[in-house]
Amino acid sequence: MFSERKIQEIRNQFPILKEKIYSNPLVYIDNAATTQNPLKVIKAYKYYYTKINSNVHRGSHFLSIKATTKMENVRKKIRNFINAKYTSEILFTKGTTESINLVASSISFMIKKGDEIIISCAEHHSNIVPWQVLCNKKEAILKIIPINENGKLKIEDFELLISYKTKIVSISHVSNILGIINPIKYIIDKSHEYGSYVLIDGAQAISNIDLDMQYLDVDFYVFSAHKMYGPTGIGVLYGKKSILNKINPYQFGGEMIKNVSLKKTTYSEIPFKFEAGTPNIVGIIVWGKAIEFVEDIGISNIKSYKEKLSKYFIKRLNSINENEIELYGKTKNLSKKLSIFSFNLKKFHCFDVGSILDRLGIAVRTGHLCAQPLMKFFNVSGMIRASFSIYNTIKEIDYLFDSLLKVKKILKN
Ligand SMILES: *Cc1c(COP(=O)(O)O)cnc(C)c1O
């Protein structure tokens, strides 16, 4: 377990945490939306544009080779980080959203009228809308796994929904609202029994759970750099080689071709077949530094420290009268939940609470949290979400709850 001193050392690597918001110290607890970047990532940005900037794969000049090598080394690093079998199974995209869109578009030729696609009602919009669009286009049917009142997937309902008509099951590893870790290994194996592909949205899991693509045997796994201390606008689609070789490219143009004549084009091998245009080279290269940051700390240390924060959060929450606060996604077993807490002060609107917290320097997310169907399920228009990271402290949780008491006083008047 990390000492307070160790956490302070980690905090010192994040310059943004020293910012003042309306003259209060910033308490950044919106990590499920995006995480902050450590100094080594920020420095790598400057280094890239000072020393390396060049286009990749094309030129044979010194800088281009250097940029290409550095970029491809990060692809290898990511392969290693998630234990994929082949480096060519790592495709760079803009992020989780683009990765899901890529799959929905590239497999569309396999979907026929009456086929079925399964998602859950706790998905991020980016894991709902691409499937809805695909189903509309192909007259396929979107089936929804429901959740129980504590936000857990009703697995017995999934077992009723899955069938030989199912072509793809697309589920989040961890909900960005409830923080609940879904039983994805079971879902993957069950889906494969029926010949269905499985996509796992790993946006929240990537910096919190040890991942092993070969053990999971998943077909597609997607995530974004900015949820793991890296930059925005860059992410990965992991896909099984045999499937990637079979499915269509997503976009067309430079980088992804082998031969072009004015009549006919042949495509490159994977992963390049899926990477049309100049990639986010700097984003990829500095992401490598963010992965080093996570590896240096260690996923298991991140997990156990965040569990400590979760326990303390729940302890403070339980000291508030049940009539006053509602937590969504309750569980007794905090090792089955990441430190993401969505709640409401029952008598007040989440936007009013959020804007006062903001004035006090606290960054939380309020509103529908990119999951309107889930809001409907809980019958609320929005929630307040506090999501913690390795650089958050017990003191910040105290400040949050002390601030919530202040909010109640202010809004009562
Ligand atoms: C953040 C998030 C996304 C979207 O990620 P982008 O980087 O915005 O594409 C999708 N799913 C989950 C579970 C997320 O937390």
Side-chain angles (χ1 to χ4, degrees):
M1 180 58 71
F2 282 167
S3 61
E4 288 294 318
R5 213 175 105 215
K6 174 77 185 167
I7 296 303
Q8 207 52 51
E9 257 173 55
I10 291 171
R11 280 183 75 81
N12 287 339
Q13 296 175 44
F14 290 82
I16 203 168
L17 298 178
K18 297 193 175 70
E19 286 297 296
K20 291 263 159 62
I21 307 295
Y22 304 111
S23 70
N24 291 305
L26 167 65
V27 172
Y28 186 81
I29 48 176
D30 190 19
N31 295 286
T34 199
T35 48
Q36 299 301 344
N37 287 203
L39 208 51
K40 72 193 282 186
V41 171
I42 299 167
K43 277 186 179 158
Y45 248 103
K46 184 169 172 200
Y47 184 81
Y48 175 83
Y49 279 115
T50 317
K51 298 277 192 185
I52 306 172
N53 185 31
S54 177
N55 211 332
V56 288
H57 295 305
R58 297 187 182 117
S60 51
H61 60 79
F62 184 87
L63 288 184
S64 173
I65 294 167
K66 193 163 177 181
T68 306
T69 309
K70 281 194 177 281
M71 180 176 129
E72 290 308 319
N73 281 344
V74 174
R75 202 190 299 273
K76 287 181 200 150
K77 203 188 269 289
I78 293 170
R79 182 205 72 76
N80 189 49
F81 189 69
I82 62 174
N83 197 30
K85 193 161 184 192
Y86 304 103
T87 306
S88 61
E89 295 178 319
I90 309 298
L91 318 185
F92 289 116
T93 63
K94 271 192 330 195
T96 304
T97 305
E98 189 178 46
S99 297
I100 299 171
N101 276 278
L102 190 161
V103 174
S105 159
S106 294
I107 66 161
S108 73
F109 75 97
M110 296 178 172
I111 308 294
K112 288 183 235 35
K113 187 173 171 172
D115 282 349
E116 294 177 357
I117 292 172
I118 298 178
I119 61 173
S120 89
C121 88
E123 298 306 314
H124 190 281
H125 291 157
S126 65
N127 198 24
I128 300 174
V129 187
W131 305 117
Q132 265 175 356
V133 171
L134 177 58
C135 285
N136 285 340
K137 206 153 72 188
K138 296 294 184 131
E139 295 184 64
I141 300 154
L142 193 61
K143 300 259 167 161
I144 314 289
I145 311 171
I147 53 174
N148 70 16
E149 71 285 0
N150 288 329
K152 268 180 101 170
L153 287 187
K154 288 188 171 171
I155 286 296
E156 50 313 342
D157 286 47
F158 165 67
E159 284 165 356
L160 296 175
L161 293 176
I162 185 93
S163 80
Y164 289 105
K165 286 188 197 160
T166 312
K167 289 295 170 299
I168 187 152
V169 176
S170 192
I171 297 289
S172 55
H173 197 159
V174 178
S175 154
N176 60 308
I177 289 140
L178 307 168
I180 307 259
I181 302 172
N182 289 323
I184 60 160
K185 181 60 179 155
Y186 179 79
I187 291 172
I188 292 164
D189 291 346
K190 197 79 192 164
S191 306
H192 285 165
E193 280 175 29
Y194 289 88
S196 170
Y197 288 147
V198 182
L199 183 151
I200 301 292
D201 170 355
Q204 295 299 336
I206 187 66
S207 67
N208 294 294
I209 297 173
D210 241 328
L211 291 171
D212 183 336
M213 293 302 120
Q214 294 180 69
Y215 161 74
L216 284 176
D217 191 32
V218 66
D219 304 300
F220 303 103
Y221 196 97
V222 302
F223 49 95
S224 303
H226 72 100
K227 304 252 172 117
M228 59 177 301
Y229 315 103
T232 54
I234 183 73
V236 151
L237 163 61
Y238 159 83
K240 267 188 200 155
K241 189 178 176 179
S242 57
I243 303 172
L244 293 177
N245 278 328
K246 249 192 328 216
I247 64 178
N248 291 326
Y250 169 57
Q251 289 179 334
F252 304 86
E255 296 284 337
M256 57 77 68
I257 50 87
K258 192 178 274 161
N259 282 300
V260 179
S261 77
L262 292 175
K263 284 222 176 78
K264 189 176 156 47
T265 293
T266 53
Y267 306 133
S268 287
E269 304 295 314
I270 62 164
F272 309 113
K273 174 174 130 182
F274 293 97
E275 294 179 352
T278 301
N280 182 352
I281 306 165
V282 66
I284 296 168
I285 292 176
V286 307
W287 186 4
K289 296 291 169 193
I291 293 169
E292 281 170 21
F293 170 81
V294 170
E295 284 176 336
D296 286 349
I297 295 177
I299 294 267
S300 62
N301 287 325
I302 293 177
K303 193 160 185 289
S304 58
Y305 180 67
K306 285 195 186 180
E307 248 176 80
K308 175 177 158 183
L309 293 179
S310 290
K311 275 195 191 122
Y312 192 71
F313 182 93
I314 293 292
K315 189 175 154 202
R316 289 285 324 237
L317 185 114
N318 285 343
S319 68
I320 300 178
N321 192 320
E322 260 181 60
N323 302 326
E324 299 196 52
I325 195 161
E326 171 103 53
L327 178 71
Y328 308 97
K330 293 188 192 87
T331 174
K332 288 217 168 65
N333 186 353
L334 285 175
S335 71
K336 293 266 160 64
K337 178 176 162 101
L338 300 185
S339 49
I340 299 173
F341 297 95
S342 296
F343 60 94
N344 268 315
L345 290 185
K346 279 184 178 171
K347 291 179 199 126
F348 308 109
H349 195 280
C350 62
F351 287 140
D352 296 334
V353 178
S355 66
I356 298 174
L357 291 179
D358 176 45
R359 282 277 158 179
L360 297 169
I362 301 175
V364 287
R365 179 85 192 274
T366 50
H368 60 58
L369 313 177
C370 291
Q372 288 179 13
L374 193 63
M375 299 301 122
K376 189 153 181 240
F377 175 83
F378 284 110
N379 203 17
V380 293
S381 62
M383 296 176 184
I384 303 157
R385 180 181 67 192
S387 50
F388 299 94
S389 188
I390 186 69
Y391 41 67
N392 291 121
T393 62
I394 297 284
K395 245 169 81 184
E396 287 178 314
I397 296 176
D398 279 331
Y399 184 67
L400 169 68
F401 279 95
D402 295 347
S403 299
L404 285 172
L405 292 178
K406 255 191 215 163
V407 168
K408 280 197 311 197
K409 274 195 197 127
I410 293 168
L411 287 178
K412 253 182 205 146
N413 295 326

